[in-house]
Amino acid sequence: MKRLFYAVLAIAMLFALTGCEQKTEETVFAMDTVMQLQLWGRDREAGIREVTKILQEQENIWSATRDTSVLSRLNRGENVEPDSSQQLLLEKVQKLSQRTAGAFDPCLWEVIRAWGFYDENYRIPSQEELKNALAQSRWELGAALKGYVGSLCVTALEQLEVDRAILNLGGNIQTYGEKEGGSPWSIGIQNPNGGDYVGTVAVTGTMAVVTSGDYQRFFESEGVRYHHILDPDTGMPANSGLSSVTIICKDGLTADALSTALFVMGLEEATEFWRASSDFEAVFITTEGHIYATEGALLSGCEYEVIER
Ligand code: AMP
Ligand code: MG
């Protein structure tokens, strides 16, 4: 008995010394991508269940490919009334579209379909097809949904007694709570050319760190790369000189929509957009591999140019 007591005491002291909090990890496939969930503290199992439920529920509502989703029914012109939270999301994405002068466009479904980006049946549509597709305004929230869902998960975790979490929702990182010991979370920025991270950004507390990149979904034909971030003016993959844009922002939906929009804008326009805003920081990687970060983005581990206000 005494021996057992000392063994338990030793383990407890080890945890106290190393700060080794208990952690639960889970990998979930949802929204067409792999999601990795890491939770620390109490209520971890309940937290995983709640997050998984939210991912599935939101996919059921907003998937553009599921016939029964609210979004598909709206796209078919059916008489469907979104509930108040659904209506609010539709209003918010429209506002983000206005805020970015249409660079983020939540109604590109027909254009995305024309390229085969939704089912990986890739093809190059003719200019005529793209013109027709652009003229049909049908909802698709692939550029914003994961960020929105990240914020929903945070609200759910706050209601439980989960202490902290990192949710990697297919490359959209959502941190929740303070890291143990109070040091910042360190989030890697992917190298667009493959391999390891180019550097890391430090964020404190609950934050969304969302990256849009030309390497995330693409196909090649006759030596040309066609990626999935489309210029709403032309329907073509945005050829803005950027390979990736990372947005650091309190609100997941805003982070996600802006990562896509600023990719479309290109470095110069995106810089002006950031200067006129106060709710986010950004890291840009150009197609030539040059890295730029706005002055509030705490980037380290690489050489980069600071963008000042
Ligand atoms: P993200 O990875 O967040 O940049 O989102 C890219 C996805 O959003 C694409 O796979 C399309 O489904 C959709 N999309 C592509 N271009 C745009 C755009 N300019 N505005 C809004 N959604 C877009
Ligand atoms: Mg996005």
Coordinates of all heavy atoms in Angstrom, one line a residue, residues 163-218:
D163 N -9.7 23.1 -21.0 CA -8.8 24.2 -20.6 C -8.2 24.8 -21.9 O -8.1 26.1 -22.0 CB -7.7 23.7 -19.7 CG -8.3 23.4 -18.3 OD1 -9.2 24.2 -17.9 OD2 -7.8 22.5 -17.7
R164 N -7.8 24.0 -22.8 CA -7.1 24.5 -24.0 C -7.2 23.5 -25.1 O -7.4 22.3 -24.9 CB -5.6 24.9 -23.7 CG -4.9 23.8 -23.0 CD -3.6 24.3 -22.4 NE -3.6 24.1 -20.9 CZ -3.8 25.0 -20.0 NH1 -3.9 26.2 -20.4 NH2 -3.8 24.7 -18.7
A165 N -7.0 24.0 -26.3 CA -7.2 23.1 -27.5 C -6.5 23.7 -28.7 O -6.3 24.9 -28.8 CB -8.6 22.8 -27.8
I166 N -6.0 22.8 -29.6 CA -5.6 23.2 -30.9 C -6.4 22.4 -31.9 O -6.4 21.2 -31.9 CB -4.1 23.1 -31.2 CG1 -3.3 24.0 -30.3 CG2 -3.8 23.4 -32.7 CD1 -1.9 24.2 -30.8
L167 N -7.2 23.1 -32.7 CA -8.0 22.4 -33.7 C -7.4 22.7 -35.1 O -7.3 23.8 -35.5 CB -9.5 22.8 -33.7 CG -10.1 22.9 -32.3 CD1 -11.5 23.5 -32.4 CD2 -10.2 21.5 -31.7
N168 N -6.9 21.6 -35.8 CA -6.4 21.8 -37.1 C -7.5 21.4 -38.1 O -7.6 20.2 -38.3 CB -5.1 21.0 -37.3 CG -4.5 21.2 -38.6 OD1 -5.1 21.7 -39.5 ND2 -3.2 20.8 -38.8
L169 N -8.2 22.3 -38.6 CA -9.4 22.0 -39.4 C -8.9 22.1 -40.9 O -9.1 23.1 -41.5 CB -10.6 22.9 -39.1 CG -11.0 23.0 -37.6 CD1 -12.1 24.0 -37.5 CD2 -11.3 21.7 -37.0
G170 N -8.2 21.1 -41.3 CA -7.7 21.0 -42.7 C -6.8 22.2 -43.0 O -7.0 22.9 -44.0
G171 N -5.9 22.5 -42.1 CA -5.0 23.6 -42.4 C -5.4 24.9 -41.8 O -4.7 25.9 -41.7
N172 N -6.7 25.0 -41.4 CA -7.2 26.2 -40.7 C -6.9 25.9 -39.2 O -7.5 25.0 -38.6 CB -8.7 26.3 -40.8 CG -9.1 26.9 -42.1 OD1 -8.5 26.7 -43.1 ND2 -10.2 27.7 -42.1
I173 N -6.0 26.7 -38.6 CA -5.7 26.4 -37.2 C -6.5 27.3 -36.3 O -6.6 28.5 -36.4 CB -4.2 26.6 -36.9 CG1 -3.3 25.9 -37.9 CG2 -3.9 26.2 -35.4 CD1 -3.3 24.4 -37.9
Q174 N -7.2 26.7 -35.3 CA -7.9 27.4 -34.3 C -7.3 27.1 -33.0 O -7.3 25.9 -32.5 CB -9.4 27.0 -34.3 CG -10.2 27.7 -33.3 CD -10.4 29.2 -33.5 OE1 -10.9 29.7 -34.5 NE2 -9.9 30.0 -32.5
T175 N -6.7 28.1 -32.3 CA -6.3 27.8 -30.9 C -7.4 28.2 -30.0 O -8.2 29.1 -30.3 CB -5.0 28.6 -30.6 OG1 -5.3 30.0 -30.6 CG2 -3.9 28.3 -31.6
Y176 N -7.4 27.6 -28.8 CA -8.4 27.9 -27.8 C -7.7 27.9 -26.4 O -7.1 26.9 -26.0 CB -9.5 26.9 -27.8 CG -10.4 26.9 -26.6 CD1 -11.2 28.0 -26.3 CD2 -10.3 25.8 -25.7 CE1 -11.9 28.0 -25.1 CE2 -11.0 25.9 -24.5 CZ -11.8 26.9 -24.2 OH -12.6 27.0 -23.1
G177 N -7.9 29.0 -25.7 CA -7.3 29.1 -24.4 C -5.8 29.4 -24.3 O -5.2 29.4 -25.4
E178 N -5.3 29.6 -23.1 CA -3.9 29.9 -23.0 C -3.1 28.6 -23.0 O -3.6 27.6 -22.5 CB -3.7 30.6 -21.6 CG -4.4 31.9 -21.4 CD -3.8 33.0 -22.3 OE1 -2.6 32.9 -22.6 OE2 -4.6 33.9 -22.7
K179 N -2.0 28.6 -23.6 CA -1.1 27.5 -23.6 C -0.6 27.3 -22.1 O -0.5 28.3 -21.4 CB 0.1 27.7 -24.5 CG 0.9 26.4 -24.7 CD 2.0 26.7 -25.7 CE 2.9 25.5 -25.8 NZ 4.1 25.8 -26.6
E180 N -0.4 26.0 -21.7 CA 0.0 25.8 -20.4 C 1.3 26.6 -20.1 O 2.2 26.6 -20.9 CB 0.3 24.3 -20.2 CG 0.3 23.9 -18.7 CD 0.8 22.5 -18.5 OE1 1.3 21.9 -19.4 OE2 0.6 22.0 -17.4
G181 N 1.4 27.2 -19.0 CA 2.6 28.0 -18.6 C 2.5 29.4 -19.1 O 3.4 30.2 -18.8
G182 N 1.5 29.7 -20.0 CA 1.3 31.1 -20.4 C 2.1 31.5 -21.6 O 2.0 32.6 -22.1
S183 N 3.0 30.6 -22.1 CA 3.8 31.0 -23.3 C 2.8 30.9 -24.5 O 1.8 30.3 -24.5 CB 4.9 30.0 -23.5 OG 4.5 28.7 -23.6
P184 N 3.2 31.6 -25.6 CA 2.3 31.7 -26.8 C 2.3 30.3 -27.5 O 3.2 29.5 -27.4 CB 2.9 32.7 -27.7 CG 4.1 33.3 -27.0 CD 4.4 32.5 -25.8
W185 N 1.2 30.1 -28.2 CA 1.1 28.9 -29.2 C 2.1 29.2 -30.3 O 2.1 30.4 -30.8 CB -0.3 28.7 -29.7 CG -1.4 28.5 -28.7 CD1 -2.3 29.4 -28.3 CD2 -1.6 27.2 -28.1 NE1 -3.2 28.8 -27.4 CE2 -2.8 27.5 -27.2 CE3 -1.1 26.0 -28.1 CZ2 -3.3 26.5 -26.5 CZ3 -1.6 25.0 -27.3 CH2 -2.7 25.2 -26.5
S186 N 2.7 28.2 -30.8 CA 3.6 28.4 -32.0 C 3.0 27.6 -33.2 O 2.9 26.4 -33.1 CB 5.0 27.9 -31.6 OG 5.8 28.0 -32.7
I187 N 2.6 28.4 -34.2 CA 1.9 27.7 -35.3 C 2.8 27.8 -36.6 O 3.2 28.9 -37.0 CB 0.6 28.5 -35.6 CG1 -0.3 28.7 -34.3 CG2 -0.2 27.8 -36.7 CD1 -0.8 27.4 -33.7
G188 N 3.0 26.6 -37.2 CA 3.9 26.6 -38.4 C 3.2 27.1 -39.6 O 2.0 26.9 -39.8
I189 N 4.0 27.8 -40.4 CA 3.5 28.3 -41.7 C 4.1 27.3 -42.8 O 5.3 27.2 -42.9 CB 3.9 29.7 -42.0 CG1 3.6 30.6 -40.9 CG2 3.4 30.2 -43.4 CD1 2.3 31.4 -41.0
Q190 N 3.3 26.7 -43.5 CA 3.7 25.7 -44.5 C 4.6 26.3 -45.6 O 4.3 27.4 -46.1 CB 2.4 25.1 -45.2 CG 2.6 23.8 -45.8 CD 2.6 22.7 -44.7 OE1 1.7 22.7 -43.9 NE2 3.5 21.8 -44.8
N191 N 5.6 25.6 -46.0 CA 6.3 26.0 -47.2 C 5.5 25.6 -48.4 O 5.2 24.4 -48.6 CB 7.7 25.3 -47.2 CG 8.6 25.7 -48.3 OD1 8.1 26.3 -49.3 ND2 9.8 25.5 -48.2
P192 N 5.2 26.6 -49.3 CA 4.3 26.3 -50.5 C 5.0 25.3 -51.4 O 4.4 24.6 -52.2 CB 4.1 27.6 -51.1 CG 4.4 28.7 -50.1 CD 5.4 28.0 -49.2
N193 N 6.3 25.2 -51.3 CA 7.1 24.3 -52.2 C 7.3 23.0 -51.6 O 8.2 22.2 -52.1 CB 8.4 25.0 -52.6 CG 8.2 26.2 -53.4 OD1 7.3 26.2 -54.3 ND2 8.8 27.3 -53.1
G194 N 6.6 22.7 -50.6 CA 6.7 21.3 -49.9 C 7.8 21.4 -48.8 O 8.4 22.4 -48.6
G195 N 7.9 20.2 -48.2 CA 8.9 20.1 -47.1 C 8.3 20.7 -45.9 O 7.1 20.8 -45.7
D196 N 9.2 21.2 -45.0 CA 8.8 21.6 -43.7 C 8.2 23.0 -43.7 O 8.0 23.6 -44.7 CB 10.1 21.6 -42.8 CG 9.7 21.0 -41.4 OD1 8.5 20.9 -41.2 OD2 10.7 20.8 -40.6
Y197 N 8.0 23.5 -42.5 CA 7.5 24.9 -42.3 C 8.6 25.9 -42.7 O 9.8 25.7 -42.5 CB 7.1 25.1 -40.9 CG 6.0 24.2 -40.4 CD1 6.1 23.4 -39.3 CD2 4.8 24.1 -41.1 CE1 5.1 22.6 -38.9 CE2 3.7 23.3 -40.7 CZ 3.9 22.5 -39.6 OH 2.9 21.7 -39.2
V198 N 8.1 27.1 -43.2 CA 9.1 28.1 -43.5 C 9.4 28.9 -42.2 O 10.5 29.5 -42.0 CB 8.7 29.2 -44.5 CG1 8.6 28.5 -45.9 CG2 7.3 29.8 -44.2
G199 N 8.5 28.9 -41.3 CA 8.6 29.6 -40.0 C 7.4 29.4 -39.1 O 6.5 28.6 -39.5
T200 N 7.4 30.1 -38.0 CA 6.2 29.9 -37.1 C 5.7 31.3 -36.7 O 6.5 32.3 -36.6 CB 6.6 29.1 -35.9 OG1 7.6 29.8 -35.2 CG2 7.0 27.7 -36.2
V201 N 4.4 31.4 -36.5 CA 3.8 32.6 -35.9 C 3.4 32.3 -34.4 O 2.9 31.2 -34.1 CB 2.6 33.2 -36.6 CG1 3.0 33.8 -37.9 CG2 1.5 32.1 -36.9
A202 N 3.6 33.2 -33.6 CA 3.3 33.1 -32.2 C 1.9 33.8 -31.9 O 1.8 34.9 -32.3 CB 4.3 33.7 -31.3
V203 N 1.0 33.1 -31.3 CA -0.3 33.7 -31.0 C -0.6 33.3 -29.5 O -0.3 32.3 -29.0 CB -1.4 33.2 -31.9 CG1 -1.2 33.6 -33.4 CG2 -1.7 31.7 -31.9
T204 N -1.3 34.3 -28.9 CA -1.7 34.1 -27.5 C -3.2 33.9 -27.4 O -3.9 34.6 -28.0 CB -1.2 35.3 -26.7 OG1 0.2 35.4 -26.9 CG2 -1.4 35.1 -25.2
G205 N -3.6 32.9 -26.6 CA -5.0 32.7 -26.3 C -5.7 32.1 -27.5 O -5.2 31.4 -28.3
T206 N -7.0 32.5 -27.6 CA -7.9 32.0 -28.6 C -7.7 32.8 -29.9 O -7.9 34.0 -29.9 CB -9.3 32.0 -28.1 OG1 -9.4 31.2 -26.9 CG2 -10.3 31.5 -29.2
M207 N -7.3 32.1 -31.0 CA -7.0 32.8 -32.2 C -7.2 31.9 -33.4 O -6.9 30.7 -33.3 CB -5.6 33.3 -32.2 CG -5.2 34.4 -33.2 SD -6.1 35.9 -32.9 CE -5.1 36.6 -31.5
A208 N -7.6 32.4 -34.6 CA -7.6 31.6 -35.8 C -6.4 32.0 -36.6 O -6.0 33.2 -36.8 CB -8.9 32.0 -36.6
V209 N -5.7 31.0 -37.1 CA -4.5 31.2 -38.0 C -4.8 30.4 -39.3 O -4.7 29.2 -39.3 CB -3.2 30.7 -37.4 CG1 -2.0 31.0 -38.3 CG2 -3.0 31.4 -36.0
V210 N -5.2 31.1 -40.4 CA -5.8 30.4 -41.5 C -4.9 30.7 -42.8 O -4.6 31.9 -43.1 CB -7.2 30.9 -41.8 CG1 -7.8 30.3 -43.0 CG2 -8.1 30.6 -40.6
T211 N -4.6 29.7 -43.5 CA -3.7 29.8 -44.7 C -4.5 29.4 -45.9 O -5.1 28.3 -46.0 CB -2.4 29.0 -44.5 OG1 -1.7 29.5 -43.4 CG2 -1.6 29.2 -45.8
S212 N -4.4 30.2 -46.9 CA -4.9 29.9 -48.3 C -3.6 29.7 -49.2 O -2.8 30.6 -49.2 CB -5.7 31.0 -48.9 OG -7.0 31.0 -48.3
G213 N -3.5 28.6 -49.9 CA -2.3 28.4 -50.7 C -2.6 27.7 -52.0 O -3.5 26.9 -52.1
D214 N -1.7 28.1 -53.0 CA -1.9 27.5 -54.3 C -1.5 26.0 -54.3 O -1.7 25.3 -55.3 CB -1.2 28.3 -55.4 CG 0.3 28.3 -55.2 OD1 0.8 27.7 -54.2 OD2 1.0 29.0 -56.0
Y215 N -0.9 25.5 -53.2 CA -0.4 24.1 -53.2 C -1.4 23.2 -52.5 O -1.3 22.0 -52.5 CB 0.9 24.1 -52.4 CG 0.7 24.7 -51.0 CD1 0.4 23.9 -49.9 CD2 0.9 26.1 -50.7 CE1 0.2 24.4 -48.6 CE2 0.7 26.6 -49.5 CZ 0.3 25.8 -48.5 OH 0.1 26.3 -47.2
Q216 N -2.5 23.8 -52.0 CA -3.5 23.0 -51.2 C -4.4 22.2 -52.1 O -4.8 21.1 -51.7 CB -4.3 23.9 -50.3 CG -3.4 24.5 -49.2 CD -4.1 25.6 -48.3 OE1 -5.1 26.2 -48.8 NE2 -3.6 25.8 -47.1
R217 N -4.8 22.7 -53.2 CA -5.6 21.9 -54.2 C -5.3 22.4 -55.6 O -5.5 23.6 -55.9 CB -7.0 22.0 -53.8 CG -7.9 21.1 -54.6 CD -9.3 21.0 -54.1 NE -9.3 20.4 -52.7 CZ -10.4 19.8 -52.2 NH1 -11.5 19.8 -52.8 NH2 -10.3 19.3 -51.0
F218 N -4.8 21.5 -56.4 CA -4.4 22.0 -57.8 C -4.3 20.7 -58.7 O -4.3 19.6 -58.2 CB -3.1 22.7 -57.8 CG -1.9 21.9 -57.4 CD1 -1.2 21.3 -58.4 CD2 -1.5 21.8 -56.1 CE1 -0.1 20.5 -58.0 CE2 -0.4 21.0 -55.7 CZ 0.3 20.4 -56.7

